Amino acid sequence: MTKQIHINEASQYVDQEVVIGVWLADKRSSGKISFLQLRDGTAFFQGVVVKNSVSDQIWEIAKSVHQESSMYVTGVIHEDSRSHFGYEIEISDIELISQSEGYPITPKEHGIEFLLDNRHLWLRSRRPFAIMKIRNEMIRATYEFFNKEGFIKMDSPILTGSAPEGTTELFHIDYFDSDAYLSQSGQLYQEAGAEAFGKVFSFGPAFRAEKSKSRRHLTEFWMIEPEMAFMHQDESLAIQEHYIAFLVQSVLDNCAYELKILERDTDQLKKYTKLPFPRISYDEAVELLQKGGHDFKWGEDFGSPDETFISEQFDQPVFIMNYPKTIKPFYMKEDPKRDDVYLCADLLAPEGYGEIIGGSERETDYEILKQRIVDAGLSLDEYQWYLDLRKYGSVPHSGFGLGLERAITWICKLDHLREAIPFPRMITRIKP
């Protein structure tokens, strides 16, 4: 009986006959040869049907089968040095499972809005296939990195009774006649976890009710949020840059095929594995902007054009450290040398992609944090559990958050952040 395999196993079966369950991605004909572009969820490769080598019935199927039809193909695997994948199948038999009719995403060029409206189908195409495989590798590598570093994963709640960062950009939910919100961050809960287990991280969805249509914002995204007890900001920065270098190297090592599909410059990516990353202060970043002709004043937050300009001055990711207190959340620790800035940092990705990590050392003093909560107009009752962390055995601790989709957008060099999330528009299809 002929063995059934997946396309990504083809290298193990050169010159052997196999069966593969596939969909037809595209096809073309050249006289008495039909070239079928096949996919099975593991990779794409070419199937070749030669008229004189198959029955009339099989040749007719090869000529008439439509895009995205499903079938089993039987044939012999050969090396194909001309393709990204490196192998092809010379088909001897086709068993048609389901004939597809009128598939909307044809091989011609389509606009991004059309493709996102048809995201449930566009996922089958080469580009989103490569992006999602790289996304999966980055998630796998994240678990590997933090496990090796001695972290444990703790899941933060998705429904919360308050805003971690004291913002109004919240999705409100009626929770059995009480107010609740979709979480913006799991950070505060991770601080509790760090005081129980030392080093913890969360990986889960976050939500922000921003009606922004910039290429750097999503209302639903995924965050990796580590928190470390007995750790100051400088030590946290070292963890952050090692984590980023590990992610990039893992993609280089395990996603060469996908990077080829995206035509990503791997020599450029290799630069991002060299440590340490450059560090500049917020003050120095302001000077860079002003010298570059930007109308920017100290105390303002960086917008997308500002971050792009700053990041373009460096060949690697760059840390911007110690932002003004007025533009950062209440829980950060004040710089002991200055009363106007926090011990915090954002990591900007190169090539103009802007912020991918935000982090800080956390305030440890009970009374200072209590007053900050009051000054921010937040409820002391809602944050009493958070204050308890400073009341019972407070220690220096630091943490950060990485936006997964932003990191994917940079590593894959995408034009649209929405390409980095599997189903960015499916919520619009939900009907009451």
Side-chain angles (χ1 to χ4, degrees), residues 69-337:
S69 294
S70 56
M71 53 193 164
Y72 291 108
V73 296
T74 301
V76 176
I77 301 293
H78 298 298
E79 292 188 13
D80 178 16
S81 60
R82 299 162 299 175
S83 72
H84 283 161
F85 184 68
Y87 300 90
E88 67 180 15
I89 183 170
E90 183 181 350
I91 296 173
S92 58
D93 189 41
I94 301 174
E95 179 187 340
L96 188 63
I97 301 171
S98 176
Q99 178 76 287
S100 172
E101 300 284 350
Y103 186 69
I105 305 177
T106 57
K108 71 174 185 179
E109 187 173 344
H110 297 279
I112 186 66
E113 299 303 325
F114 171 83
L115 293 171
L116 288 170
D117 282 341
N118 289 277
R119 180 62 162 178
H120 57 298
L121 300 177
W122 187 34
L123 281 172
R124 305 178 183 190
S125 300
R126 278 180 173 80
R127 181 178 175 84
F129 165 84
I131 296 167
M132 290 302 108
K133 291 292 288 290
I134 290 172
R135 178 190 175 101
N136 184 70
E137 174 58 24
M138 291 172 66
I139 292 170
R140 187 209 63 76
T142 291
Y143 280 88
E144 180 183 350
F145 177 84
F146 288 111
N147 285 335
K148 285 184 175 180
E149 291 291 329
F151 287 71
I152 74 163
K153 183 176 183 289
M154 299 202 66
D155 298 317
S156 296
I158 294 174
L159 291 178
T160 66
S162 58
E165 299 187 2
T167 178
T168 57
E169 296 162 350
L170 294 164
F171 283 106
H172 177 264
I173 292 174
D174 182 6
Y175 186 72
F176 302 108
D177 298 324
S178 296
D179 290 329
Y181 307 92
L182 293 178
S183 176
Q184 289 182 316
S185 168
Q187 177 216 311
L188 303 192
Y189 300 97
Q190 295 308 303
E191 289 189 53
E195 295 201 3
F197 298 97
K199 294 192 290 187
V200 298
F201 77 102
S202 65
F203 173 54
F207 306 85
R208 299 205 175 177
E210 296 177 327
K211 291 186 177 180
S212 172
K213 291 187 177 180
S214 82
R215 70 186 182 101
R216 291 184 181 164
H217 291 86
L218 291 169
T219 54
E220 177 186 351
F221 52 97
W222 286 73
M223 289 280 287
I224 294 97
E225 295 179 285
E227 201 74 26
M228 298 82 71
F230 302 102
M231 187 172 288
H232 294 288
Q233 175 67 351
D234 286 346
E235 299 165 287
S236 175
L237 295 183
I239 291 283
Q240 293 173 46
E241 63 187 3
H242 278 88
Y243 171 45
I244 292 297
F246 187 84
L247 284 183
V248 174
Q249 190 62 57
S250 293
V251 171
L252 285 167
D253 290 344
N254 300 309
C255 297
Y257 171 62
E258 290 78 12
L259 291 170
K260 282 182 181 179
I261 290 176
L262 296 175
E263 300 182 341
R264 184 58 161 121
D265 184 347
T266 54
D267 288 335
Q268 190 71 31
L269 286 177
K270 289 174 185 176
K271 295 179 183 179
Y272 311 146
T273 66
K274 309 302 181 185
L275 300 179
F277 293 155
R279 292 156 166 72
I280 63 171
S281 68
Y282 172 87
D283 299 346
E284 291 168 325
V286 171
E287 290 179 13
L288 276 177
L289 288 170
Q290 292 173 344
K291 288 179 180 178
H294 291 244
D295 182 16
F296 191 92
K297 298 180 177 61
W298 195 97
E300 296 177 345
D301 202 358
F302 301 125
S304 294
D306 305 316
E307 290 182 349
T308 296
F309 177 82
I310 295 167
S311 67
E312 286 176 343
Q313 311 310 305
F314 300 88
D315 288 333
Q316 290 178 289
V318 56
F319 286 110
I320 301 180
M321 304 187 298
N322 302 349
Y323 283 69
K325 293 163 67 174
T326 53
I327 59 174
K328 288 295 183 179
F330 68 90
Y331 50 74
M332 296 183 175
K333 188 172 184 63
E334 183 180 296
D335 187 335
K337 299 177 182 178

Side-chain angles (χ1 to χ4, degrees), residues 161-163 179 181 373 378-387:
S162 58
D179 290 329
Y181 307 92
I373 292 171
L378 303 173
S379 167
L380 283 174
D381 288 341
E382 290 182 358
Y383 285 89
Q384 187 56 53
W385 71 270
Y386 187 58
L387 287 168

Side-chain angles (χ1 to χ4, degrees), residues 112-113 116 127 215 409 414-420:
I112 186 66
E113 299 303 325
L116 288 170
R127 181 178 175 84
R215 70 186 182 101
T409 300
L414 307 180
D415 293 328
H416 301 274
L417 183 61
R418 290 172 291 175
E419 287 188 84

